[in-house]
Every structure is written in structure tokens, then in C-alpha cells.
Amino acid sequence: MSTKPITITPPATVVEWVGGAADGHVRLLDQTVLPTQVGYIDCRSTEELWDAIKRLAVRGAPAIGVAAAYGMVLSAREAAHEAKMSGRAFREVLAEKAEYLKSCRPTAVNLAWAVERARRAAKGVAAERAAEKILTEAREIHREDAAMCRAIGEHAAALIRRCSGVLTHCNAGALATAGIGTATAGMYVAHAAGHAFCVYCDETRPLLQGSRLTAWELSQAGINAVVITDNVAGQVMREGRVQLVITGADRIAANGDTANKIGTYGLAILARHHGIPFYVAAPVSTFDLSLEDGSGIPIEQRDAEEITEGLGRRTAPDGIAVYAPAFDVTPAGLITGIITDRGIIQPVTGDKIREKIGL
Ligand code: MRU
């Protein structure tokens, strides 16, 4: 296994806290304008951050979690001020702000996980000191996420090294995390070790995270990336161009059922039909062992306009009904293995998951 430090070119800083706890703010790489522009947006209030997450300026389960943890520093400052002005209890106001942040995108469990962790960090702390405590915790969540990505990469690299072609969906890359990504982590590690391979990036309708983001970050790093429209995946498999599929995850239930970007379920079925291993890569923070199976995972619905006007012009009749789930659930039985920072879970069963992730 490689122990060389992996650097990604350019090392885009997806999320960061700028300044101190009392006067700082959250800075986000604005993913809505990639790949044609590299720009940043500054969020100075809980509402601004909520809006940035909703608009997918920051997206990807782990990156949303890190951003929300920093967002809780803003919330703590606001809650201290509001409590003083209204006479309400600081903790009560902070809890309301935490719920508000969590409501933003319901599927990725990392969001609620990080917000709750940040809230716990301020437990028993005076209102004036809460922001500082939460900032320390958010920095720790940020650091841990980068380390988890690297560990996933070490476990996944051996799988990548056996392949000349890999297929991925959406963006579970550096842009979706605080590190080298989850689905892409093994690609970066194998590439750094000198292995040559090609990554087929599903375009990922409707918001094009695959073509706008994954293809961009992989090609910036010198990895051979090919964009395909989502409906080409079966053909690519039939032609023998890929020997492996790796995707990310937004939430994994106790039995291994996995929510990820809409279209992942279909890919898993295609992979099974063609006898191609289908792996999910995710850190422990993406598991939700409180859910027995995938039927309990809340699925975010997106606005119709993202489908009907997503490409900069109207592509469907005015007033047409649209069904726009942002995620689907792939049953555990279709998943060959789950690559976590603690190793690979294979076969994907409740017992194996509890062994690796459970207490
Ligand atoms: O809607 P998005 O862009 O936030 O969806 C992202 C995904 O589905 C990713 O695969 C998942 O969050 C894992 S990111 C490491």
C-alpha cells in the first residue's frame, strides 16, 4: 500500500472557516459555477448557509456535514444574541437553529450527524463560549473526514489496480468531501502509485455532478476521465470497457441498503446483469444504524425546474407534471462490498456491518 501523501491538483478547498469564532464565517467553493468558473461564496448567517446547501453550492454528504458543523458556529453566535434580546434560553434557540439546518437536505445523514455533534460540543458551556467550542469540534470533524477519505483510498486502491476501466456516478470526489473523496479516493491513490486506467463519469441528470464536477476534478489531477450520458452506462458495460463500478452514499441503513444519487439503483442492476462488481465507498459517518433497512431513508424531492429548465432553456412543456427524487435506494443484495475507512464490508450483511461499524 502507498503511504505517499496524495495531493490533488488543484487542491480545491471545498469548505473552510475564515477568521475566529467570534467574527469568522464559512467559505465555500461555489460548485454551481464549476467547471467554467472557480469561485467562492462567504456565508455569514445560518440562513445563508442553509440556502447554499439547498442550492448545492456545497454538496456531497461528507462536505455538507463539514459545512453544517461550521454553520453551527454561526448559529451559536446568533442564538447567544437572540437569547439575550428575547430572554429565551440559549440552548432552546440553538436547538431550533440546529433543526432548521438539518431540514435543508434530508437524505444525507452526515448533515444531521455533524449538526448534532456540534450541538453536543456546546453542552454545559456558557452561551458566550459556545461558538468557540463548536468551532473546535467542527475543525475536528473536518480533519477526521479528510483522514477517512485517505483510509478509504488505501482500501479501494487494490480494487482499482485490477482494472483498466471504472465507472462512477454523480460526484463522490474531493469536491464532495474534505479530502480525496470516497468513490474517487482509490482512484487518486492508484493513480499516485502509477496505475493507468480510465474513469467513465456518468453525466448524472439533472444537475450534472458527473460531467461538471467528477470529470473536472479527475482531469485536473491527470486521471483519464470520459463523460457519458447516464443512458450509455449499459453499453459501456456490454462493450467490456469497465470492470468495476464505484459510487458514493448518502445514507446506509443497518442492513446495507444504500441511498445515493438518483440512478445508482439502475446502475447496480446493470452491473449485476453484466457480472461487474458494484462497490459503494463511504465513511462511518454515512451509516445510520437506527434504520433497519432502506425503506426508512427520507428521499429528498427537488424542484421541477431543475428538470424542465436545468439546461439553460425549457426542455418540457409548460405546466407539465414532474417527478424529481434526488436519490434512490440500492438494496444491499446488489452491492458487492462497501469500502469504509475501517476496511471493506463484504458480503454486505447486517452482521458484517455491525462488526465493522457497530458499537
Ligand atoms: O445531490 P448531491 O450532489 O449532494 O449528491 C451527492 C451524492 O449522491 C454522492 O454520491 C454522495 O453524497 C456521496 S459524496 C462522497
Short mmCIF file of all heavy atoms in Angstrom, two decimals, residues 212-274:
data_model
loop_
_atom_site.label_atom_id
_atom_site.label_comp_id
_atom_site.label_asym_id
_atom_site.label_seq_id
_atom_site.Cartn_x
_atom_site.Cartn_y
_atom_site.Cartn_z
N ARG A 212 -19.93 17.93 -14.70
CA ARG A 212 -19.42 19.23 -14.26
C ARG A 212 -18.31 19.09 -13.22
O ARG A 212 -17.35 19.85 -13.22
CB ARG A 212 -20.54 20.08 -13.64
CG ARG A 212 -21.57 20.59 -14.62
CD ARG A 212 -22.50 21.62 -13.98
NE ARG A 212 -23.13 21.15 -12.75
CZ ARG A 212 -22.80 21.57 -11.54
NH1 ARG A 212 -21.87 22.48 -11.36
NH2 ARG A 212 -23.42 21.08 -10.46
N LEU A 213 -18.46 18.09 -12.32
CA LEU A 213 -17.59 18.04 -11.14
C LEU A 213 -16.59 16.88 -11.18
O LEU A 213 -15.39 17.09 -11.05
CB LEU A 213 -18.45 17.97 -9.86
CG LEU A 213 -19.54 19.05 -9.73
CD1 LEU A 213 -20.35 18.85 -8.46
CD2 LEU A 213 -18.91 20.45 -9.73
N THR A 214 -17.10 15.64 -11.36
CA THR A 214 -16.18 14.49 -11.32
C THR A 214 -15.19 14.56 -12.48
O THR A 214 -13.98 14.39 -12.29
CB THR A 214 -16.96 13.16 -11.36
OG1 THR A 214 -17.93 13.18 -10.32
CG2 THR A 214 -16.04 11.97 -11.15
N ALA A 215 -15.71 14.82 -13.68
CA ALA A 215 -14.81 14.89 -14.84
C ALA A 215 -13.80 16.02 -14.66
O ALA A 215 -12.63 15.88 -15.03
CB ALA A 215 -15.63 15.11 -16.11
N TRP A 216 -14.24 17.11 -14.05
CA TRP A 216 -13.34 18.26 -13.82
C TRP A 216 -12.24 17.89 -12.84
O TRP A 216 -11.05 18.06 -13.13
CB TRP A 216 -14.15 19.45 -13.31
CG TRP A 216 -13.30 20.67 -13.08
CD1 TRP A 216 -12.83 21.53 -14.03
CD2 TRP A 216 -12.83 21.17 -11.81
NE1 TRP A 216 -12.08 22.51 -13.43
CE2 TRP A 216 -12.06 22.33 -12.08
CE3 TRP A 216 -12.96 20.74 -10.49
CZ2 TRP A 216 -11.44 23.07 -11.08
CZ3 TRP A 216 -12.35 21.48 -9.49
CH2 TRP A 216 -11.60 22.62 -9.78
N GLU A 217 -12.63 17.35 -11.68
CA GLU A 217 -11.58 17.12 -10.68
C GLU A 217 -10.63 16.01 -11.09
O GLU A 217 -9.44 16.09 -10.85
CB GLU A 217 -12.17 16.89 -9.27
CG GLU A 217 -12.94 15.60 -9.06
CD GLU A 217 -13.12 15.28 -7.57
OE1 GLU A 217 -14.06 15.85 -6.97
OE2 GLU A 217 -12.35 14.47 -7.02
N LEU A 218 -11.14 14.96 -11.76
CA LEU A 218 -10.24 13.88 -12.18
C LEU A 218 -9.28 14.36 -13.26
O LEU A 218 -8.09 14.06 -13.22
CB LEU A 218 -11.04 12.66 -12.68
CG LEU A 218 -11.87 11.92 -11.63
CD1 LEU A 218 -12.61 10.73 -12.27
CD2 LEU A 218 -11.01 11.42 -10.46
N SER A 219 -9.79 15.13 -14.21
CA SER A 219 -8.89 15.57 -15.28
C SER A 219 -7.88 16.60 -14.75
O SER A 219 -6.74 16.61 -15.18
CB SER A 219 -9.66 16.08 -16.50
OG SER A 219 -10.64 16.97 -16.11
N GLN A 220 -8.28 17.40 -13.75
CA GLN A 220 -7.31 18.31 -13.12
C GLN A 220 -6.16 17.53 -12.50
O GLN A 220 -5.03 18.00 -12.46
CB GLN A 220 -7.98 19.13 -12.00
CG GLN A 220 -9.00 20.13 -12.46
CD GLN A 220 -8.39 21.30 -13.21
OE1 GLN A 220 -7.42 21.88 -12.75
NE2 GLN A 220 -8.92 21.60 -14.37
N ALA A 221 -6.48 16.35 -12.01
CA ALA A 221 -5.46 15.52 -11.34
C ALA A 221 -4.70 14.63 -12.33
O ALA A 221 -3.84 13.85 -11.92
CB ALA A 221 -6.14 14.66 -10.27
N GLY A 222 -5.03 14.72 -13.59
CA GLY A 222 -4.30 13.92 -14.60
C GLY A 222 -4.85 12.51 -14.76
O GLY A 222 -4.21 11.65 -15.37
N ILE A 223 -6.04 12.24 -14.23
CA ILE A 223 -6.67 10.93 -14.40
C ILE A 223 -7.53 10.96 -15.65
O ILE A 223 -8.24 11.95 -15.90
CB ILE A 223 -7.51 10.55 -13.15
CG1 ILE A 223 -6.57 10.41 -11.93
CG2 ILE A 223 -8.29 9.25 -13.38
CD1 ILE A 223 -7.28 10.15 -10.61
N ASN A 224 -7.45 9.90 -16.43
CA ASN A 224 -8.13 9.83 -17.71
C ASN A 224 -9.65 9.68 -17.47
O ASN A 224 -10.12 8.63 -17.03
CB ASN A 224 -7.57 8.60 -18.44
CG ASN A 224 -8.06 8.49 -19.85
OD1 ASN A 224 -8.73 9.39 -20.35
ND2 ASN A 224 -7.75 7.36 -20.48
N ALA A 225 -10.41 10.74 -17.73
CA ALA A 225 -11.86 10.72 -17.48
C ALA A 225 -12.63 10.84 -18.78
O ALA A 225 -12.25 11.62 -19.65
CB ALA A 225 -12.23 11.88 -16.55
N VAL A 226 -13.70 10.07 -18.90
CA VAL A 226 -14.54 10.11 -20.09
C VAL A 226 -15.98 10.35 -19.63
O VAL A 226 -16.48 9.61 -18.78
CB VAL A 226 -14.49 8.76 -20.86
CG1 VAL A 226 -15.46 8.76 -22.03
CG2 VAL A 226 -13.08 8.46 -21.33
N VAL A 227 -16.63 11.37 -20.15
CA VAL A 227 -18.02 11.65 -19.76
C VAL A 227 -18.97 10.84 -20.65
O VAL A 227 -18.80 10.79 -21.87
CB VAL A 227 -18.33 13.16 -19.91
CG1 VAL A 227 -19.81 13.43 -19.70
CG2 VAL A 227 -17.50 13.97 -18.93
N ILE A 228 -19.94 10.20 -20.02
CA ILE A 228 -21.01 9.53 -20.78
C ILE A 228 -22.35 10.03 -20.26
O ILE A 228 -22.46 10.42 -19.09
CB ILE A 228 -20.93 7.98 -20.64
CG1 ILE A 228 -20.98 7.55 -19.16
CG2 ILE A 228 -19.70 7.43 -21.33
CD1 ILE A 228 -21.12 6.03 -18.97
N THR A 229 -23.36 10.04 -21.12
CA THR A 229 -24.69 10.34 -20.59
C THR A 229 -25.14 9.11 -19.79
O THR A 229 -24.65 8.00 -20.01
CB THR A 229 -25.69 10.65 -21.72
OG1 THR A 229 -25.71 9.55 -22.62
CG2 THR A 229 -25.32 11.91 -22.45
N ASP A 230 -26.05 9.31 -18.88
CA ASP A 230 -26.42 8.22 -17.96
C ASP A 230 -26.88 6.97 -18.70
O ASP A 230 -26.64 5.84 -18.27
CB ASP A 230 -27.53 8.70 -17.01
CG ASP A 230 -27.07 9.86 -16.14
OD1 ASP A 230 -25.89 10.26 -16.25
OD2 ASP A 230 -27.89 10.37 -15.37
N ASN A 231 -27.54 7.19 -19.84
CA ASN A 231 -28.10 6.03 -20.55
C ASN A 231 -27.08 5.27 -21.39
O ASN A 231 -27.43 4.32 -22.08
CB ASN A 231 -29.32 6.46 -21.40
CG ASN A 231 -29.01 7.65 -22.28
OD1 ASN A 231 -27.88 8.15 -22.30
ND2 ASN A 231 -29.99 8.11 -23.02
N VAL A 232 -25.81 5.66 -21.31
CA VAL A 232 -24.75 4.94 -22.03
C VAL A 232 -24.12 3.85 -21.14
O VAL A 232 -23.40 2.97 -21.61
CB VAL A 232 -23.68 5.95 -22.56
CG1 VAL A 232 -22.50 5.25 -23.22
CG2 VAL A 232 -24.31 6.91 -23.56
N ALA A 233 -24.39 3.91 -19.84
CA ALA A 233 -23.70 3.01 -18.90
C ALA A 233 -23.83 1.54 -19.30
O ALA A 233 -22.84 0.79 -19.26
CB ALA A 233 -24.24 3.24 -17.49
N GLY A 234 -25.03 1.11 -19.69
CA GLY A 234 -25.23 -0.30 -20.06
C GLY A 234 -24.37 -0.68 -21.25
O GLY A 234 -23.76 -1.76 -21.28
N GLN A 235 -24.29 0.20 -22.21
CA GLN A 235 -23.49 -0.07 -23.41
C GLN A 235 -22.00 -0.17 -23.07
O GLN A 235 -21.29 -1.05 -23.57
CB GLN A 235 -23.75 1.05 -24.44
CG GLN A 235 -23.12 0.82 -25.79
CD GLN A 235 -23.69 -0.41 -26.51
OE1 GLN A 235 -24.74 -0.93 -26.14
NE2 GLN A 235 -22.96 -0.90 -27.49
N VAL A 236 -21.55 0.71 -22.21
CA VAL A 236 -20.14 0.70 -21.77
C VAL A 236 -19.81 -0.63 -21.09
O VAL A 236 -18.75 -1.22 -21.30
CB VAL A 236 -19.89 1.91 -20.82
CG1 VAL A 236 -18.66 1.73 -19.98
CG2 VAL A 236 -19.78 3.19 -21.62
N MET A 237 -20.76 -1.13 -20.33
CA MET A 237 -20.56 -2.42 -19.64
C MET A 237 -20.56 -3.55 -20.67
O MET A 237 -19.69 -4.43 -20.63
CB MET A 237 -21.66 -2.65 -18.61
CG MET A 237 -21.56 -1.71 -17.42
SD MET A 237 -22.85 -2.09 -16.21
CE MET A 237 -22.75 -0.66 -15.16
N ARG A 238 -21.52 -3.53 -21.57
CA ARG A 238 -21.61 -4.59 -22.58
C ARG A 238 -20.35 -4.65 -23.45
O ARG A 238 -19.88 -5.73 -23.81
CB ARG A 238 -22.84 -4.37 -23.47
CG ARG A 238 -22.89 -5.33 -24.65
CD ARG A 238 -24.13 -5.17 -25.44
NE ARG A 238 -25.16 -6.03 -24.89
CZ ARG A 238 -26.42 -6.04 -25.32
NH1 ARG A 238 -26.79 -5.20 -26.26
NH2 ARG A 238 -27.29 -6.86 -24.81
N GLU A 239 -19.76 -3.49 -23.72
CA GLU A 239 -18.55 -3.44 -24.55
C GLU A 239 -17.29 -3.83 -23.76
O GLU A 239 -16.19 -3.82 -24.31
CB GLU A 239 -18.37 -2.03 -25.14
CG GLU A 239 -19.42 -1.70 -26.20
CD GLU A 239 -19.34 -0.24 -26.67
OE1 GLU A 239 -18.42 0.50 -26.26
OE2 GLU A 239 -20.23 0.16 -27.44
N GLY A 240 -17.45 -4.13 -22.48
CA GLY A 240 -16.31 -4.58 -21.67
C GLY A 240 -15.34 -3.47 -21.31
O GLY A 240 -14.18 -3.72 -20.97
N ARG A 241 -15.81 -2.21 -21.35
CA ARG A 241 -14.92 -1.09 -21.07
C ARG A 241 -14.65 -0.89 -19.58
O ARG A 241 -13.71 -0.21 -19.21
CB ARG A 241 -15.51 0.21 -21.63
CG ARG A 241 -15.51 0.28 -23.15
CD ARG A 241 -16.32 1.49 -23.61
NE ARG A 241 -16.44 1.50 -25.04
CZ ARG A 241 -15.66 2.22 -25.84
NH1 ARG A 241 -14.73 2.98 -25.34
NH2 ARG A 241 -15.83 2.18 -27.13
N VAL A 242 -15.55 -1.41 -18.72
CA VAL A 242 -15.33 -1.23 -17.28
C VAL A 242 -15.39 -2.57 -16.56
O VAL A 242 -16.15 -3.46 -16.93
CB VAL A 242 -16.36 -0.26 -16.64
CG1 VAL A 242 -16.22 1.14 -17.22
CG2 VAL A 242 -17.79 -0.75 -16.81
N GLN A 243 -14.54 -2.70 -15.55
CA GLN A 243 -14.51 -3.94 -14.76
C GLN A 243 -14.99 -3.69 -13.33
O GLN A 243 -14.97 -4.60 -12.49
CB GLN A 243 -13.07 -4.52 -14.72
CG GLN A 243 -12.49 -4.88 -16.08
CD GLN A 243 -11.96 -3.65 -16.83
OE1 GLN A 243 -11.29 -2.82 -16.25
NE2 GLN A 243 -12.30 -3.55 -18.12
N LEU A 244 -15.37 -2.45 -13.06
CA LEU A 244 -15.74 -2.09 -11.68
C LEU A 244 -16.62 -0.85 -11.70
O LEU A 244 -16.40 0.06 -12.50
CB LEU A 244 -14.43 -1.76 -10.93
CG LEU A 244 -14.49 -1.29 -9.49
CD1 LEU A 244 -14.93 -2.44 -8.58
CD2 LEU A 244 -13.10 -0.82 -9.04
N VAL A 245 -17.62 -0.85 -10.81
CA VAL A 245 -18.42 0.37 -10.58
C VAL A 245 -18.22 0.77 -9.12
O VAL A 245 -18.29 -0.08 -8.23
CB VAL A 245 -19.93 0.12 -10.84
CG1 VAL A 245 -20.74 1.38 -10.56
CG2 VAL A 245 -20.17 -0.36 -12.27
N ILE A 246 -17.92 2.05 -8.90
CA ILE A 246 -17.84 2.55 -7.51
C ILE A 246 -18.66 3.83 -7.43
O ILE A 246 -18.47 4.75 -8.23
CB ILE A 246 -16.40 2.92 -7.05
CG1 ILE A 246 -15.46 1.73 -7.13
CG2 ILE A 246 -16.42 3.43 -5.61
CD1 ILE A 246 -14.13 1.96 -6.43
N THR A 247 -19.55 3.88 -6.43
CA THR A 247 -20.32 5.11 -6.19
C THR A 247 -20.14 5.51 -4.72
O THR A 247 -19.60 4.75 -3.91
CB THR A 247 -21.82 4.91 -6.45
OG1 THR A 247 -22.38 4.13 -5.39
CG2 THR A 247 -22.09 4.25 -7.79
N GLY A 248 -20.63 6.68 -4.39
CA GLY A 248 -20.66 7.11 -3.00
C GLY A 248 -21.98 6.72 -2.36
O GLY A 248 -22.73 5.88 -2.91
N ALA A 249 -22.27 7.29 -1.21
CA ALA A 249 -23.52 7.01 -0.50
C ALA A 249 -23.93 8.23 0.31
O ALA A 249 -23.06 8.98 0.78
CB ALA A 249 -23.34 5.83 0.43
N ASP A 250 -25.22 8.41 0.45
CA ASP A 250 -25.74 9.49 1.30
C ASP A 250 -26.23 8.97 2.64
O ASP A 250 -26.25 9.70 3.62
CB ASP A 250 -26.87 10.23 0.58
CG ASP A 250 -26.28 11.18 -0.44
OD1 ASP A 250 -25.96 10.72 -1.56
OD2 ASP A 250 -26.06 12.36 -0.11
N ARG A 251 -26.66 7.71 2.66
CA ARG A 251 -27.07 7.09 3.92
C ARG A 251 -27.12 5.59 3.72
O ARG A 251 -27.68 5.11 2.73
CB ARG A 251 -28.43 7.63 4.36
CG ARG A 251 -28.80 7.29 5.79
CD ARG A 251 -30.20 7.72 6.15
NE ARG A 251 -30.46 9.15 6.16
CZ ARG A 251 -31.03 9.80 7.17
NH1 ARG A 251 -31.37 9.15 8.27
NH2 ARG A 251 -31.31 11.10 7.07
N ILE A 252 -26.55 4.86 4.67
CA ILE A 252 -26.54 3.40 4.58
C ILE A 252 -27.26 2.84 5.81
O ILE A 252 -26.88 3.13 6.95
CB ILE A 252 -25.10 2.85 4.51
CG1 ILE A 252 -24.35 3.49 3.31
CG2 ILE A 252 -25.09 1.32 4.40
CD1 ILE A 252 -22.87 3.14 3.23
N ALA A 253 -28.32 2.08 5.57
CA ALA A 253 -29.10 1.51 6.68
C ALA A 253 -28.35 0.30 7.28
O ALA A 253 -27.36 -0.19 6.71
CB ALA A 253 -30.47 1.10 6.17
N ALA A 254 -28.87 -0.18 8.42
CA ALA A 254 -28.19 -1.25 9.16
C ALA A 254 -28.02 -2.54 8.36
O ALA A 254 -27.11 -3.33 8.61
CB ALA A 254 -28.97 -1.53 10.46
N ASN A 255 -28.89 -2.76 7.38
CA ASN A 255 -28.77 -3.99 6.57
C ASN A 255 -27.96 -3.78 5.29
O ASN A 255 -27.81 -4.70 4.49
CB ASN A 255 -30.16 -4.52 6.20
CG ASN A 255 -30.83 -3.66 5.14
OD1 ASN A 255 -30.46 -2.50 4.96
ND2 ASN A 255 -31.80 -4.23 4.44
N GLY A 256 -27.45 -2.54 5.09
CA GLY A 256 -26.62 -2.27 3.92
C GLY A 256 -27.35 -1.62 2.75
O GLY A 256 -26.72 -1.21 1.77
N ASP A 257 -28.67 -1.51 2.82
CA ASP A 257 -29.39 -0.77 1.77
C ASP A 257 -28.82 0.65 1.74
O ASP A 257 -28.65 1.27 2.81
CB ASP A 257 -30.90 -0.68 2.09
CG ASP A 257 -31.62 -2.01 1.94
OD1 ASP A 257 -31.00 -2.99 1.49
OD2 ASP A 257 -32.82 -2.05 2.30
N THR A 258 -28.58 1.15 0.53
CA THR A 258 -27.81 2.39 0.40
C THR A 258 -28.52 3.43 -0.45
O THR A 258 -28.85 3.17 -1.62
CB THR A 258 -26.44 2.08 -0.24
OG1 THR A 258 -25.69 1.25 0.66
CG2 THR A 258 -25.64 3.34 -0.52
N ALA A 259 -28.71 4.63 0.13
CA ALA A 259 -29.25 5.75 -0.66
C ALA A 259 -28.10 6.49 -1.30
O ALA A 259 -27.09 6.78 -0.64
CB ALA A 259 -30.04 6.69 0.24
N ASN A 260 -28.23 6.77 -2.56
CA ASN A 260 -27.25 7.59 -3.27
C ASN A 260 -27.97 8.29 -4.42
O ASN A 260 -29.17 8.07 -4.66
CB ASN A 260 -26.08 6.74 -3.78
CG ASN A 260 -24.91 7.59 -4.25
OD1 ASN A 260 -24.46 8.49 -3.53
ND2 ASN A 260 -24.43 7.36 -5.46
N LYS A 261 -27.24 9.12 -5.16
CA LYS A 261 -27.80 9.92 -6.24
C LYS A 261 -28.71 9.10 -7.14
O LYS A 261 -28.38 7.97 -7.50
CB LYS A 261 -26.65 10.54 -7.04
CG LYS A 261 -27.04 11.40 -8.22
CD LYS A 261 -28.03 12.49 -7.88
CE LYS A 261 -27.54 13.41 -6.79
NZ LYS A 261 -28.59 14.32 -6.27
N ILE A 262 -29.82 9.69 -7.52
CA ILE A 262 -30.79 9.01 -8.38
C ILE A 262 -30.07 8.43 -9.61
O ILE A 262 -29.27 9.11 -10.25
CB ILE A 262 -31.94 9.99 -8.77
CG1 ILE A 262 -33.08 9.27 -9.44
CG2 ILE A 262 -31.45 11.16 -9.60
CD1 ILE A 262 -33.93 8.47 -8.52
N GLY A 263 -30.38 7.17 -9.88
CA GLY A 263 -29.72 6.48 -10.99
C GLY A 263 -28.75 5.41 -10.51
O GLY A 263 -28.37 4.50 -11.26
N THR A 264 -28.37 5.47 -9.23
CA THR A 264 -27.43 4.48 -8.69
C THR A 264 -28.05 3.08 -8.69
O THR A 264 -27.39 2.09 -9.02
CB THR A 264 -27.02 4.88 -7.26
OG1 THR A 264 -26.47 6.20 -7.30
CG2 THR A 264 -25.98 3.92 -6.68
N TYR A 265 -29.33 3.02 -8.34
CA TYR A 265 -30.03 1.73 -8.28
C TYR A 265 -30.01 1.04 -9.66
O TYR A 265 -29.69 -0.15 -9.78
CB TYR A 265 -31.46 1.99 -7.80
CG TYR A 265 -32.43 0.84 -7.86
CD1 TYR A 265 -32.06 -0.44 -7.44
CD2 TYR A 265 -33.74 1.04 -8.31
CE1 TYR A 265 -32.98 -1.48 -7.50
CE2 TYR A 265 -34.65 0.00 -8.36
CZ TYR A 265 -34.26 -1.26 -7.96
OH TYR A 265 -35.16 -2.28 -8.02
N GLY A 266 -30.33 1.83 -10.68
CA GLY A 266 -30.31 1.28 -12.04
C GLY A 266 -28.93 0.79 -12.44
O GLY A 266 -28.78 -0.27 -13.07
N LEU A 267 -27.92 1.52 -12.04
CA LEU A 267 -26.53 1.12 -12.36
C LEU A 267 -26.19 -0.22 -11.70
O LEU A 267 -25.53 -1.07 -12.29
CB LEU A 267 -25.56 2.13 -11.76
CG LEU A 267 -24.97 3.22 -12.60
CD1 LEU A 267 -23.86 3.91 -11.82
CD2 LEU A 267 -24.45 2.70 -13.93
N ALA A 268 -26.65 -0.36 -10.45
CA ALA A 268 -26.36 -1.60 -9.71
C ALA A 268 -27.01 -2.80 -10.41
O ALA A 268 -26.43 -3.89 -10.49
CB ALA A 268 -26.85 -1.48 -8.27
N ILE A 269 -28.21 -2.59 -10.94
CA ILE A 269 -28.89 -3.68 -11.67
C ILE A 269 -28.11 -3.99 -12.94
O ILE A 269 -27.88 -5.17 -13.27
CB ILE A 269 -30.35 -3.28 -12.00
CG1 ILE A 269 -31.16 -3.15 -10.72
CG2 ILE A 269 -30.99 -4.29 -12.95
CD1 ILE A 269 -32.55 -2.57 -10.92
N LEU A 270 -27.68 -2.97 -13.65
CA LEU A 270 -26.90 -3.17 -14.87
C LEU A 270 -25.60 -3.93 -14.56
O LEU A 270 -25.20 -4.84 -15.29
CB LEU A 270 -26.53 -1.83 -15.51
CG LEU A 270 -27.61 -1.11 -16.31
CD1 LEU A 270 -27.13 0.27 -16.72
CD2 LEU A 270 -27.99 -1.92 -17.55
N ALA A 271 -24.94 -3.52 -13.49
CA ALA A 271 -23.68 -4.16 -13.12
C ALA A 271 -23.91 -5.64 -12.80
O ALA A 271 -23.15 -6.52 -13.24
CB ALA A 271 -23.06 -3.44 -11.92
N ARG A 272 -24.99 -5.93 -12.09
CA ARG A 272 -25.31 -7.33 -11.75
C ARG A 272 -25.54 -8.14 -13.03
O ARG A 272 -25.04 -9.25 -13.20
CB ARG A 272 -26.54 -7.35 -10.83
CG ARG A 272 -27.11 -8.71 -10.50
CD ARG A 272 -26.12 -9.64 -9.78
NE ARG A 272 -25.58 -9.09 -8.55
CZ ARG A 272 -26.08 -9.27 -7.34
NH1 ARG A 272 -27.16 -10.00 -7.17
NH2 ARG A 272 -25.48 -8.74 -6.28
N HIS A 273 -26.29 -7.55 -13.96
CA HIS A 273 -26.59 -8.24 -15.21
C HIS A 273 -25.32 -8.57 -15.98
O HIS A 273 -25.22 -9.64 -16.61
CB HIS A 273 -27.50 -7.37 -16.08
CG HIS A 273 -27.84 -8.00 -17.41
ND1 HIS A 273 -28.77 -9.01 -17.52
CD2 HIS A 273 -27.33 -7.79 -18.65
CE1 HIS A 273 -28.83 -9.38 -18.79
NE2 HIS A 273 -27.98 -8.66 -19.50
N HIS A 274 -24.33 -7.67 -15.93
CA HIS A 274 -23.10 -7.87 -16.69
C HIS A 274 -22.00 -8.54 -15.87
O HIS A 274 -20.86 -8.68 -16.34
CB HIS A 274 -22.59 -6.52 -17.23
CG HIS A 274 -23.47 -5.96 -18.32
ND1 HIS A 274 -24.50 -5.10 -18.07
CD2 HIS A 274 -23.48 -6.19 -19.66
CE1 HIS A 274 -25.11 -4.80 -19.21
NE2 HIS A 274 -24.52 -5.45 -20.19
#
